[in-house]
């Protein structure tokens, strides 16, 4: 029996053709023409004027935070339940992440808890859309307006998603994307910062490339890093982007199919199909174990692996990260819903290349495991 991986990208469009074009023309560096074309098309898809491609989604968050002038002592509000890239973009600059709990159903930041976290040091809100449904952007934008805060939108998992009909990636001062292979558009590795501000875009272009001074090369007034994105990555990204609508449709069908297969399994909480502001695009198909189930997500991932199924646990909360605890951050903080998701949430194979017969196997194995688990818990 062959292993079903947690993710496998679909690369049967123009990827090979565009990559060959890179080789044939000799354009493999970040100066190549696909980079600009990808920036234009991706920013347009997100409803933005400017796009600056960078080496990955983590780099995009770092560049965005630097471009907005986040600095030592500033506070940035964000969900505790997210990937560490979000907190890192802030702590690397000497600023402090201020955390908020999550909604147990949509997995996104509980926006009603933001206001009481705002202090005179608060500089920005980092909105993160998680696992397929957008965060409540209206609430976030209203608070930002009221308190004169910047908004960074992490749309790394949201290619092709909309919030109340407007594209994710179009909200706030600056938005970021990732093109890691498990995202709806991949470039192998890659990221992008998108914005409507020419000034911010110019700043990001400089930050991406060692902050060379525009008048004299090799002279620097500021320090950043090398965050460049190559023409080879852009070739793949561009071919992927051409199929974005199709990819979103594939993911939605995948979500519908899994839900159909799993809806009667006791003790499994399935992803929300839609809210009043968006329809799930299932970045991954995330499942949460019910309170009555004693098993943890780590144990579940192991059981699934033994059955030949690749699965992953959900993110681990920022306030429980050993690295931040050691640094004295987030002492005695606790966020109940987020901690629950981090211990009980996991996702099953949901890559773009997943086939229906593989989904059937995944659903069957998961059902079988759940039955065994409920039996040993004494609930059946
Ligand atoms: C994937 C992801 C990132 C990081 O992107 P990389 O390209 O892996 O660095 C950032 N934020 C979120 C929400 C993500 O899912």
């Amino acid at each position: 029996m062959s292993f079903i991986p947690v993710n496998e990208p679909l690369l049967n469009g123009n990827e090979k053709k565009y990559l060959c074009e890179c080789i044939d023309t000799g354009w493999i560096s970040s100066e190549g023409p696909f980079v600009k074309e990808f920036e234009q098309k991706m920013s347009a898809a997100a409803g933005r004027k400017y796009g600056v491609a960078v080496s990955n989604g983590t780099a995009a968050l770092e560049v965005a935070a630097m471009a907005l002038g986040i600095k030592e002592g500033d506070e940035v509000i964000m969900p505790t339940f997210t990937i560490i890239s979000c907190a890192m973009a802030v702590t690397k600059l000497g600023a402090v992440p201020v955390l908020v709990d999550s909604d147990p159903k949509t997995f996104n930041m509980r926006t009603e808890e933001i206001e009481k976290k705002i202090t005179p040091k608060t500089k920005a809100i980092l909105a993160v859309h998680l696992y397929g449904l957008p965060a409540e952007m209206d609430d976030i934008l209203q608070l930002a307006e009221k308190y004169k805060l910047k908004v960074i939108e992490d749309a790394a998992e949201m290619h092709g998603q909309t919030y109340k009909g407007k594209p994710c990636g179009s909200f706030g001062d600056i938005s970021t994307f990732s093109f890691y292979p498990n995202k709806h558009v991949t470039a192998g590795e890659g990221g992008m910062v998108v914005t409507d501000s020419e000034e911010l875009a110019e700043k990001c272009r400089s930050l991406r490339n060692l902050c060379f001074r525009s008048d004299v090369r090799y002279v620097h007034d500021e320090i950043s890093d090398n965050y460049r994105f190559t023409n080879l990555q852009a070739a793949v990204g561009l071919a992927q982007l051409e199929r974005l609508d199709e990819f979103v449709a594939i993911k939605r069908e995948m979500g519908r199919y899994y839900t159909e297969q799993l809806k009667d399994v006791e003790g499994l909480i399935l992803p929300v199909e839609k809210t009043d502001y968006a329809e799930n695009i299932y970045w991954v198909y995330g499942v949460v174990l019910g309170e009555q189930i004693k098993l943890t997500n780590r144990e579940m991932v192991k059981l699934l692996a033994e059955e030949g199924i690749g699965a992953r646990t959900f993110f681990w909360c920022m306030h429980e990260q050993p690295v931040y605890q050691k640094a004295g951050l987030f002492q005695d903080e606790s966020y109940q819903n987020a901690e629950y998701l981090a211990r009980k949430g996991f996702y099953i194979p949901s890559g773009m290349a997943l086939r229906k017969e593989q989904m059937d196997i995944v659903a069957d194995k998961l059902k079988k495991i759940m039955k065994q688990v409920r039996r040993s818990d004494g609930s059946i």
Side-chain angles (χ1 to χ4, degrees):
M1 190 187 62
S2 63
F3 194 82
I4 302 177
V6 71
N7 176 66
E8 198 183 328
L10 201 56
L11 301 168
N12 54 359
N14 284 322
E15 288 82 358
K16 197 182 270 181
K17 178 173 165 233
Y18 296 164
L19 276 171
C20 288
E21 221 172 296
C22 296
I23 307 293
D24 291 342
T25 58
W27 276 117
I28 57 171
S29 77
S30 55
E31 299 290 319
F34 283 137
V35 177
K36 284 198 187 63
E37 191 180 344
F38 185 51
E39 287 175 336
Q40 275 159 13
K41 293 191 170 154
M42 186 65 215
S43 54
R48 291 287 204 180
K49 283 193 189 139
Y50 308 99
V52 180
V54 294
S55 44
N56 53 64
T58 304
L61 284 165
E62 286 182 20
V63 167
M66 284 190 280
L68 289 178
I70 308 281
K71 56 178 192 325
E72 194 159 353
D74 288 342
E75 293 178 353
V76 178
I77 295 175
M78 67 178 73
T80 185
F81 181 70
T82 184
I83 190 165
I84 200 160
S85 312
C86 300
M88 247 169 54
V90 168
T91 55
K92 272 193 168 181
L93 300 174
V96 182
V98 171
L99 306 175
V100 172
D101 203 1
S102 311
D103 181 278
K105 293 229 151 59
T106 66
F107 314 148
N108 282 310
M109 180 154 61
R110 278 169 59 83
T111 50
E112 59 270 41
E113 288 183 19
I114 294 175
E115 194 161 17
K116 59 174 187 267
K117 298 274 180 159
I118 296 173
T119 76
K121 289 182 181 168
T122 309
K123 182 83 184 255
I125 302 174
L126 173 50
V128 192
H129 310 297
L130 292 166
Y131 295 87
L133 281 171
E136 270 284 11
M137 287 314 297
D138 280 351
D139 295 351
I140 292 167
L141 294 171
Q142 269 164 27
L143 285 170
E145 169 108 37
K146 183 169 166 194
Y147 293 95
K148 302 276 167 287
L149 305 174
K150 303 285 185 198
V151 173
I152 305 174
E153 182 196 13
D154 181 353
E157 304 173 3
M158 289 296 122
H159 320 70
Q161 178 59 293
T162 57
Y163 171 82
K164 296 190 176 169
K166 258 192 90 190
C168 288
S170 69
F171 296 94
D173 298 276
I174 202 163
S175 310
T176 63
F177 285 98
S178 162
F179 307 113
Y180 188 72
N182 63 5
K183 314 292 173 163
H184 285 35
V185 169
T186 182
E189 292 283 353
M192 197 179 292
V193 173
V194 297
T195 179
D196 289 321
S197 155
E198 190 176 356
E199 194 190 327
L200 278 177
E202 199 44 57
K203 185 100 220 234
C204 291
R205 271 182 219 116
S206 172
L207 287 164
R208 156 176 77 179
N209 190 19
L210 304 170
C211 289
F212 282 113
R213 239 165 73 172
S214 54
D215 52 347
V216 267
R217 206 171 169 81
Y218 305 115
V219 178
H220 307 262
D221 295 323
E222 279 178 273
I223 293 281
S224 66
D225 213 321
N226 172 356
Y227 294 112
R228 295 187 299 255
F229 180 78
T230 72
N231 206 48
L232 294 165
Q233 292 167 297
V236 175
L238 199 59
Q240 289 267 301
L241 185 58
E242 290 170 348
R243 302 174 68 186
L244 180 55
D245 291 346
E246 181 194 340
F247 285 173
V248 169
I250 288 175
K251 284 284 196 163
R252 285 199 169 127
E253 173 53 22
M254 200 177 283
R256 192 202 60 75
Y257 194 73
Y258 266 143
T259 297
E260 180 64 31
Q261 303 286 307
L262 298 171
K263 65 179 192 297
D264 297 325
V265 182
E266 239 174 279
L268 271 192
I269 305 164
L270 303 183
V272 174
E273 195 186 323
K274 61 177 173 207
T275 63
D276 54 2
Y277 51 81
E279 200 185 321
N280 206 326
I281 58 165
Y282 305 95
W283 167 55
V284 290
Y285 193 87
V287 176
V288 182
L289 295 164
E291 309 237 12
Q292 70 272 40
I293 305 294
K294 291 197 192 87
L295 198 77
T296 66
N297 53 0
R298 290 182 190 171
E299 290 163 339
M300 174 58 93
V301 166
K302 246 175 94 186
L303 292 175
L304 283 164
E306 284 163 14
E307 296 286 347
I309 312 280
R312 292 272 188 284
T313 58
F314 274 10
F315 295 129
W316 192 245
C317 298
M318 291 308 106
H319 69 281
E320 296 191 285
Q321 292 295 340
V323 63
Y324 288 140
Q325 281 286 324
K326 267 187 278 177
L329 278 170
F330 317 130
Q331 301 294 310
D332 306 318
E333 290 184 29
S334 89
Y335 301 92
Q336 242 183 335
N337 298 338
E339 286 167 23
Y340 190 87
L341 293 173
R343 284 161 179 76
K344 296 289 206 169
F346 63 99
Y347 59 92
I348 55 182
S350 30
M352 215 58 82
L354 192 71
R355 297 186 313 272
K356 257 206 172 110
E357 50 289 10
Q358 292 176 304
M359 280 189 268
D360 289 336
I361 297 171
V362 173
D364 281 350
K365 300 284 186 192
L366 185 52
K367 280 187 219 170
K368 185 181 121 191
I369 292 170
M370 286 303 290
K371 204 164 184 181
Q372 284 164 355
V373 166
R374 291 204 316 277
R375 191 167 288 140
S376 67
D377 277 3
S379 57
I380 49 168

